[in-house]
Amino acid sequence: MLSLKKYLTEGLLQFTILLSLIGVRVDVDTYLTSQLPPLREIILGPSSAYTQTQFHNLRNTLDGYGIHPKSIDLDNYFTARRLLSQVRALDRFQVPTTEVNAWLVHRDPEGSVSGSQPSSGLTLESSSGLQDVTGPDNGVRESETEQGFSEDLEDLGAVAPPVSGDLTKEDIDLIDILWRQDIDLGAGREIFDYSHRQKEQDVDKDLRDGAEQEDTWSGEGAEALARNLLVDGETGESFPAQFPADISSITEAVPSESEPPGLQNNLLSPLLTGTESPFDLEQQWQDLMSIMEMQAMEVNTSTNEILYNAPSGDPLSTNYSLAPNTPINQNVSLHQASLGGCSQDFSLFSPEAESLPVASGSTLLPLLPSNSTSLNSSFGSTNLAGLFFPPQLNGTANDTAGPELPDPLGGLLDEAMLDEISLMDLAIEEGFNPVQASQLEEEFDSDSGLSLDSSHSPSSLSSSEGSSSSSSSSSSSSSSSSSSSSSSASSSASSSFSEEGAVGYSSDSETLDLEEAEGAVGYQPEYSKFCRMSYQDPSQLSCLPYLEHVGHNHTYNMAPSALDSADLPPPSGLKKGSKEKQADFLDKQMSRDEHRARAMKIPFTNDKIINLPVEEFNELLSKYQLSEAQLSLIRDIRRRGKNKMAAQNCRKRKLDTILNLERDVEDLQRDKARLLREKVEFLRSLRQMKQKVQSLYQEVFGRLRDENGRPYSPSQYALQYAGDGSVLLIPRTLADQQARRQERKPKDRRK
DNA sequence: CAAACCTGTCATTCC
DNA sequence: TGGGAATGACAGGTT
């Protein structure tokens, strides 16, 4: 008992602390900025649930107060222990590895178009994007929460404009083109058919909804295994969809320290070096699949061939050549991919070649789009600098923009991921179903609201209202006689009005008993009238509006049967033995105060003593000639009765708070999973953007010619993007200086 | 029989 | 100031 209380108390305290910790450590807002207002609200909400007022608000506004978990079959589900274990599991760090492979299982079949919007907006160069930024755990969650992703992105105002739903004519054309190109590979048209896949998504979602709502997470492993095979849409080949990426991969992939300058690779930005080039087969397949999903396609043939065919030499890379051959809408992908923070990439454009001699005469060669037709063709409609650089960033923009790249990629992943991983583990552990996270949030609410839902049932409704209004019932009902209505906090939420009616009738029968006592105490006819008026007719009671809000257990001292028969004169037909037995039984049914009241010959029921409003109670006392002992007992009975109900309410409230907190925890977990998914997608998109920018850079640079018609040496010159949208060709040394300046600045800022 | 749980009661605080 | 709600703590009963 004591331990339980400690348990609850400690649990709540711990939970509060953990919530605050969540708010601090899981501050995704820092990198998603103002896009995520709900998180803070969610975080702040639960903590405020501890206040009484908040609690009442919760009870009044959320209709979640209804069911008493004890009352119905939700006991096991909504126990404080479960919540507390859940809470305590928050700080646990687990890295389940077996479910890693689920990452793309959902993604490919269902989310190809709508589910991967950010990716689709970023077009094809995702071969390196296969090295995803998430760790295994994230992959798991990602797969399980994939469905609601597009929705979530919309909520966040995410990177790419939503592709889903309405396809533009260009999109349809692209689909057609891709389909025609792919048809010889055995690709079905439906791969590109959004509506078709949407149906598939729906079906799939429905299936999984049903399955997952029933399934406990114990079966998740097998399920994950079952889903674990990716099926190639073209070949029908099944292969394990591993989620190979490591969190650190992206951070490793970003900087390139050892890139040898001079060759074609020299043009590659450091973003595309080292770790990204050795692709896993699975990664490439994943990319391929994602590519197939994308409708806004490729940028440039040569770029892609340079970027992807060259380093990998993988047979899969031939697939990538499909897209480049297509006439594409470059702008689509670029515009869709426009990300604010991409400017940082450019700081890395010219890091190598520090030792290279300064270029001769021309220090800055402004490359306006009009200067080159080829350049114009590729950049003409897409203002690269405008897209990727904030306007304030001109030639020195790299100073501020550049160094941010490692931070969001590395920092977020390294620091936040761990917390998130643990949280998501918790979510999975506790049966939280991230698959339906965002899309099925409502179902979840109703799910967790099973208790809430049942609050709409008559029984729980009465208890809900009773408890919520219990604080005001005394004042509101003080003007009336009544208060015999009881929804009873202790009647385990099942005390309906019938029970109240029973009380009312029992009161009526009490008056009979009372009449017997009249002689001794002095009968007041007014009181009899009063009692009958107040208690005789249950329907009368129900007509009194305030009675609907009275939540007290007016039968608190007696079982209804006891009330019914205790004060009744025993039926004359009963034998003496049974009478005695019944009396014993009733005696046992009566509470101590009942016994005391009876011993003291208190002329009215404990029910009245306890529940009458003060004025009426005092009036009642004044009508009787009561001894000091009787008065004292009556007041004690009243006090104890009030306190008993208060204790019941208090416990109920406490339990309710716990349940609300549990629900809040689930909500937080859900949001966290969603945010994590989004973060992963954002990072992936970011990387794809970098690749695209790099490819464009290569293309532009490769087409530049000096006065003699010779190409510029990448080791001596570098392109730089000005804030006004122009692209400048500057010597490497200059670019390196700027890059170094950028590297220094963030360090200073950190200090 | 012990532990967990439930319920009533008291003391206290606060409104 | 009194009434009462809220709640922690405790005790006794029940499972």
Side-chain angles (χ1 to χ4, degrees):
Chain A
M1 187 163 47
L2 185 62
S3 63
L4 174 63
K5 279 175 237 161
K6 282 183 179 178
Y7 194 60
L8 288 175
T9 308
E10 291 173 1
L12 286 174
L13 183 62
Q14 188 176 1
F15 179 71
T16 308
I17 296 170
L18 283 173
L19 277 183
S20 62
L21 284 178
I22 290 172
V24 173
R25 297 166 64 190
V26 188
D27 194 8
V28 197
D29 298 13
T30 54
Y31 64 94
L32 290 180
T33 64
S34 62
Q35 291 176 335
L36 309 166
L39 179 62
R40 186 149 290 142
E41 298 173 3
I42 290 167
I43 291 169
L44 292 180
S47 59
S48 59
Y50 289 98
T51 64
Q52 243 172 36
T53 52
Q54 175 63 23
F55 174 77
H56 285 294
N57 289 337
L58 280 175
R59 280 192 293 157
N60 293 333
T61 57
L62 317 174
D63 53 344
Y65 191 67
I67 188 169
H68 200 279
K70 301 190 305 182
S71 63
I72 311 189
D73 53 347
L74 297 174
D75 305 40
N76 298 328
Y77 183 70
F78 285 123
T79 58
R81 177 173 300 177
R82 179 172 173 272
L83 170 66
L84 292 175
S85 65
Q86 191 174 356
V87 166
R88 287 185 170 130
L90 276 173
D91 53 355
R92 224 180 315 166
F93 182 82
Q94 291 187 357
V95 183
T97 57
T98 56
E99 295 171 339
V100 164
N101 296 333
W103 166 268
L104 276 184
V105 174
H106 295 302
R107 177 182 180 75
D108 282 342
E110 70 177 1
S112 49
V113 174
S114 63
S116 62
Q117 285 174 13
S119 303
S120 66
L122 294 165
T123 74
L124 289 194
E125 299 123 326
S126 54
S127 64
S128 63
L130 293 175
Q131 290 181 342
D132 214 305
V133 290
T134 55
D137 298 333
N138 297 330
V140 175
R141 274 58 171 250
E142 171 83 42
S143 68
E144 287 161 347
T145 54
E146 185 70 31
Q147 291 186 348
F149 182 60
S150 60
E151 184 180 307
D152 296 332
L153 281 181
E154 290 177 10
D155 294 340
L156 288 173
V159 214
V163 184
S164 61
D166 17 309
L167 291 177
T168 63
K169 191 176 180 302
E170 292 175 348
D171 296 330
I172 296 174
D173 292 341
L174 276 174
I175 293 173
D176 285 332
I177 292 165
L178 291 173
W179 173 58
R180 276 186 235 112
Q181 290 183 340
D182 237 23
I183 202 168
D184 52 348
L185 294 178
R189 174 64 180 266
E190 55 274 6
I191 290 179
F192 302 102
D193 188 352
Y194 173 75
S195 61
H196 176 83
R197 280 193 275 179
Q198 183 72 9
K199 289 175 185 173
E200 288 181 347
Q201 287 181 24
D202 293 340
V203 172
D204 188 26
K205 189 178 68 179
D206 291 340
L207 287 177
R208 266 184 292 148
D209 286 355
E212 288 169 358
Q213 284 177 352
E214 295 171 0
D215 282 352
T216 59
W217 281 85
S218 60
E220 190 64 22
E223 195 176 350
L225 281 176
R227 298 181 192 157
N228 223 2
L229 289 181
L230 282 177
V231 177
D232 188 351
E234 299 178 6
T235 64
E237 176 187 359
S238 295
F239 52 90
Q242 299 213 344
F243 191 75
D246 187 53
I247 293 175
S248 58
S249 66
I250 196 170
T251 59
E252 292 171 358
V254 171
S256 80
E257 298 84 3
S258 61
E259 184 90 7
L263 296 178
Q264 180 63 290
N265 283 340
N266 196 20
L267 280 175
L268 290 174
S269 93
L271 298 173
L272 300 175
T273 60
T275 56
E276 287 185 346
S277 32
F279 302 109
D280 286 344
L281 183 62
E282 291 82 2
Q283 285 179 340
Q284 298 203 5
W285 271 109
Q286 287 180 9
D287 248 4
L288 178 60
M289 298 303 285
S290 61
I291 284 169
M292 300 307 290
E293 296 164 1
M294 297 174 184
Q295 295 160 355
M297 303 293 284
E298 250 339 274
V299 173
N300 188 299
T301 301
S302 62
T303 302
N304 286 285
E305 289 173 350
I306 289 172
L307 280 176
Y308 300 108
N309 293 344
S312 67
D314 193 285
L316 291 172
S317 59
T318 59
N319 290 320
Y320 290 103
S321 63
L322 287 174
N325 290 334
T326 69
I328 33 78
N329 186 349
Q330 304 175 9
N331 300 332
V332 171
S333 58
L334 284 177
H335 280 295
Q336 286 177 343
S338 62
L339 268 177
C342 290
S343 56
Q344 54 217 13
D345 300 359
F346 294 89
S347 68
L348 303 169
F349 271 10
S350 53
E352 55 263 20
E354 279 188 25
S355 59
L356 290 180
V358 180
S360 58
S362 65
T363 57
L364 291 178
L365 296 180
L367 294 176
L368 298 180
S370 59
N371 289 346
S372 165
T373 56
S374 62
L375 183 64
N376 198 13
S377 66
S378 59
F379 275 152
S381 56
T382 301
N383 189 336
L384 198 60
L387 274 175
F388 295 101
F389 294 107
Q392 70 272 14
L393 300 176
N394 48 19
T396 61
N398 293 336
D399 289 349
T400 56
E404 293 178 359
L405 177 58
D407 289 342
L409 295 182
L412 288 179
L413 288 177
D414 293 341
E415 296 169 10
M417 283 289 192
L418 297 181
D419 295 339
E420 290 160 352
I421 285 170
S422 63
L423 246 191
M424 303 193 66
D425 289 341
L426 168 67
I428 287 180
E429 267 184 39
E430 293 299 328
F432 160 56
N433 194 346
V435 179
Q436 304 157 328
S438 32
Q439 282 187 348
L440 301 179
E441 219 162 278
E442 301 228 343
E443 284 87 338
F444 262 104
D445 286 341
S446 67
D447 182 23
S448 65
L450 279 175
S451 63
L452 311 180
D453 208 16
S454 55
S455 70
H456 298 296
S457 69
S459 61
S460 59
L461 179 64
S462 66
S463 82
S464 160
E465 289 181 349
S467 65
S468 62
S469 63
S470 61
S471 59
S472 63
S473 61
S474 64
S475 61
S476 66
S477 64
S478 61
S479 62
S480 84
S481 51
S482 94
S483 6
S484 74
S485 73
S486 92
S487 68
S488 103
S490 68
S491 60
S492 57
S494 59
S495 69
S496 59
F497 197 78
S498 62
E499 196 175 345
E500 302 168 5
V503 177
Y505 287 120
S506 71
S507 299
D508 190 24
S509 64
E510 276 175 29
T511 57
L512 300 177
D513 187 28
L514 205 136
E515 289 173 5
E516 293 179 357
E518 286 172 11
V521 187
Y523 176 65
Q524 305 280 340
E526 297 85 355
Y527 175 63
S528 175
K529 268 191 225 165
F530 163 78
C531 284
R532 292 177 187 275
M533 279 182 60
S534 333
Y535 293 95
Q536 200 165 20
D537 189 2
S539 62
Q540 246 183 334
L541 295 178
S542 65
C543 292
L544 302 175
Y546 60 84
L547 286 183
E548 297 177 0
H549 304 286
V550 175
H552 300 310
N553 177 14
H554 301 276
T555 65
Y556 90 107
N557 269 340
M558 283 189 214
S561 59
L563 272 178
D564 258 340
S565 54
D567 294 325
L568 272 175
S572 58
L574 286 178
K575 292 178 181 177
K576 205 174 183 181
S578 64
K579 232 195 272 181
E580 287 176 356
K581 282 183 182 178
Q582 189 181 13
D584 289 343
F585 176 76
L586 294 178
D587 281 348
K588 288 176 184 176
Q589 291 290 309
M590 293 200 312
S591 68
R592 283 178 284 177
D593 277 339
E594 284 290 332
H595 286 291
R596 292 191 199 111
R598 186 172 260 207
M600 294 287 286
K601 296 189 184 308
I602 304 298
F604 24 80
T605 63
N606 287 19
D607 183 43
K608 290 189 183 64
I609 293 173
I610 294 163
N611 294 307
L612 279 182
V614 185
E615 298 93 16
E616 298 177 24
F617 174 71
N618 290 329
E619 190 181 351
L620 179 63
L621 291 185
S622 66
K623 288 174 183 170
Y624 291 91
Q625 308 278 340
L626 295 173
S627 66
E628 206 45 50
Q630 280 177 318
L631 284 176
S632 175
L633 176 62
I634 286 172
R635 297 201 182 277
D636 279 346
I637 287 172
R638 184 177 175 87
R639 176 180 49 80
R640 281 193 287 265
K642 294 274 187 194
N643 187 252
K644 178 180 170 181
M645 290 185 296
Q648 289 166 347
N649 284 334
C650 185
R651 284 166 180 145
K652 188 177 175 182
R653 200 178 303 119
K654 197 183 290 183
L655 183 60
D656 213 48
T657 304
I658 291 173
L659 295 179
N660 284 331
L661 289 175
E662 182 184 32
R663 200 182 54 219
D664 292 339
V665 168
E666 290 172 356
D667 290 342
L668 283 174
Q669 289 169 343
R670 209 177 299 135
D671 289 333
K672 185 137 191 164
R674 178 176 54 82
L675 291 174
L676 186 58
R677 285 198 324 271
E678 291 168 0
K679 184 172 79 174
V680 168
E681 286 295 329
F682 286 143
L683 291 175
R684 182 189 299 164
S685 300
L686 192 62
R687 294 181 63 224
Q688 291 174 346
M689 289 297 302
K690 289 172 188 172
Q691 293 163 7
K692 179 180 289 300
V693 168
Q694 187 56 38
S695 67
L696 291 173
Y697 179 93
Q698 280 184 296
E699 180 187 357
V700 171
F701 195 91
R703 297 188 184 192
L704 291 180
R705 296 294 182 271
D706 60 7
E707 301 83 6
N708 300 325
R710 290 174 302 190
Y712 286 97
S713 168
S715 59
Q716 293 179 346
Y717 290 94
L719 287 178
Q720 195 166 65
Y721 301 82
D724 58 355
S726 62
V727 180
L728 303 178
L729 182 66
I730 63 173
R732 274 282 178 189
T733 51
L734 217 78
D736 291 339
Q737 289 175 2
Q738 291 181 352
R740 277 194 292 271
R741 245 179 286 156
Q742 296 165 6
E743 290 175 1
R744 256 177 270 131
K745 276 200 173 182
K747 289 177 184 175
D748 295 340
R749 265 187 305 191
R750 282 173 195 164
K751 291 173 186 175

